[in-house]
Amino acid sequence: MLKNIIPIVEKVKPSIGLVFAIDPANKVYGKGSGFVIDTGLLVTCNHVVSTPNANILLQFPGSDEKINAKVVIRDEEHDLALLKFTKTDIKALKLCKLEEIKEGMPVIFAGYPLDLLSLTTHQGILSAITQDETGNKVYLIDGTVNSGNSGCPLMNDSGEVIGIVNAKRREQS
């Protein structure tokens, strides 16, 4: 039986942003998801914001306001980017303790898949914990992940972050 996650969605929703990368010709080059990890800091996947000279804009649920952001750290190898923005009233999501992350645990993730501008939430399970070629943990999930979900938080059923969803990255054999 699926757990009622309405209270969790209501709690985490304000902290999950829609990320736009606008190229110099003012066209949307990249679109994805991201989440606040500290005051004025949002994490997403690097491929979402990798356009050279892009203007990065964030939008949070319940607001039409577009917030300027700047990439302050890129990790191309792990496909991560840390963005800084000036709005300081958006709460950070809590992180899960590593020892609590187990195969088979229920997970939820919320982001902006495909061309949607509304936050969508999915439930699934953490089906496997593996390592990539650099030795970092990779969480394989049984759940519907689409383009645009990249950068959204992978959370336990309490809404604590256990990882970052990446709709582009695939295991290499």
Side-chain angles (χ1 to χ4, degrees):
M1 182 172 166
L2 296 176
K3 178 180 177 179
N4 178 358
I5 61 169
I6 293 170
I8 302 305
V9 173
E10 289 173 350
K11 179 175 82 172
V12 302
K13 186 175 183 175
S15 303
I16 302 171
L18 177 57
V19 181
F20 295 100
I22 313 294
D23 72 11
N26 209 28
K27 293 183 182 177
V28 176
Y29 174 82
K31 177 191 148 308
S33 306
F35 59 96
V36 177
I37 60 166
D38 203 348
T39 302
L41 294 174
L42 179 133
V43 67
T44 189
C45 289
N46 184 60
H47 73 264
V48 173
V49 294
S50 62
T51 307
N53 302 316
N55 182 26
I56 309 298
L57 299 175
L58 307 176
Q59 185 175 354
F60 290 92
S63 174
D64 291 331
E65 179 185 12
K66 303 284 193 301
I67 303 165
N68 286 310
K70 180 180 179 182
V71 177
V72 290
I73 299 174
R74 288 185 192 276
D75 181 346
E76 293 180 19
E77 181 178 357
H78 298 104
D79 196 16
L80 296 171
L82 184 66
L83 310 180
K84 185 171 181 61
F85 63 100
T86 57
K87 195 166 177 79
T88 59
D89 61 345
I90 301 171
K91 291 175 66 173
L93 294 181
K94 292 184 179 181
L95 301 180
C96 178
K97 295 179 183 173
L98 286 175
E99 61 271 10
E100 295 175 4
I101 303 170
K102 308 280 185 206
E103 290 179 351
M105 69 185 282
V107 293
I108 58 175
F109 53 98
Y112 300 87
L114 308 171
D115 290 330
L116 298 176
L117 300 178
S118 297
L119 188 72
T120 65
T121 304
H122 299 271
Q123 293 187 73
I125 63 166
L126 182 58
S127 57
I129 300 173
T130 64
Q131 287 188 345
D132 67 12
E133 58 278 354
T134 65
N136 288 308
K137 284 186 181 178
V138 176
Y139 301 135
L140 303 178
I141 56 175
D142 180 10
T144 304
V145 175
N146 294 295
S147 173
N149 280 126
S150 286
C152 79
L154 178 63
M155 299 169 281
N156 64 17
D157 62 359
S158 297
E160 297 170 326
V161 177
I162 65 171
I164 300 169
V165 173
N166 190 321
K168 184 176 179 180
R169 190 171 188 184
R170 300 284 190 259
E171 291 278 335
Q172 301 294 324
S173 53

